[in-house]
């Protein structure tokens, strides 16, 4: 597990993400997400798998007002392995 980085898997799909304050964003991207991609690359090598780059995207979301995120707790529960 990489501190500050989370993932969600379904079948052959994978989402890797992190949440941070604006101050910590650069550090988490440069360290945490890049480390997660290295771990994924190592797993792919060990299991003779390849990431389909045509289906791979990177998206950055910036939230200015979190008061309207009513779904946030639902997502947190769905992503928490202990809640299953």
């Amino acid at each position: 597990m990489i501190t500050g980085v989370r993932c969600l898997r379904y079948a052959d799909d994978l989402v890797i993400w992190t949440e941070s304050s604006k101050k910590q964003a650069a550090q988490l991207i440069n360290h945490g997400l890049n480390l997660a991609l290295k771990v994924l690359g190592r797993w792919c090598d060990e299991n003779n798998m390849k990431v389909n780059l045509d289906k791979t995207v990177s998206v950055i979301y910036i939230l200015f007002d979190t008061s309207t995120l009513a779904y946030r707790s639902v997502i947190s529960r769905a992503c928490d392995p202990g809640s299953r």
Side-chain angles (χ1 to χ4, degrees), residues 1 6 12-13 16 18-19 26 31-32 39 41 50 56 58-59 61-62 68-69 72-73:
M1 180 163 218
R6 301 177 73 185
D12 64 347
D13 293 326
I16 302 171
T18 187
E19 297 177 54
H31 177 71
V39 170
K50 288 186 179 182
T56 302
S58 172
V59 180
Y61 294 99
I62 300 171
T68 58
L69 295 177
R72 185 176 211 160
S73 63

Side-chain angles (χ1 to χ4, degrees), residues 10-25:
Y10 180 77
D12 64 347
D13 293 326
L14 172 68
V15 177
I16 302 171
W17 82 95
T18 187
E19 297 177 54
S20 70
S21 66
K22 190 175 180 179
K23 279 183 169 180
Q24 296 174 327

Side-chain angles (χ1 to χ4, degrees), residues 23-33:
K23 279 183 169 180
Q24 296 174 327
Q27 180 183 359
L28 275 171
I29 290 169
N30 288 330
H31 177 71
L33 291 178

Side-chain angles (χ1 to χ4, degrees), residues 33-45:
L33 291 178
N34 283 325
L35 182 57
L37 292 174
K38 287 178 184 178
V39 170
L40 174 62
R42 191 176 325 123
W43 182 91
C44 287
D45 289 343

Side-chain angles (χ1 to χ4, degrees), residues 51-58:
V51 173
N52 185 338
L53 297 179
D54 292 333
K55 293 182 177 182
T56 302
V57 297
S58 172

Side-chain angles (χ1 to χ4, degrees), residues 62-66:
I62 300 171
L63 301 176
F64 295 103
D65 178 14
T66 60

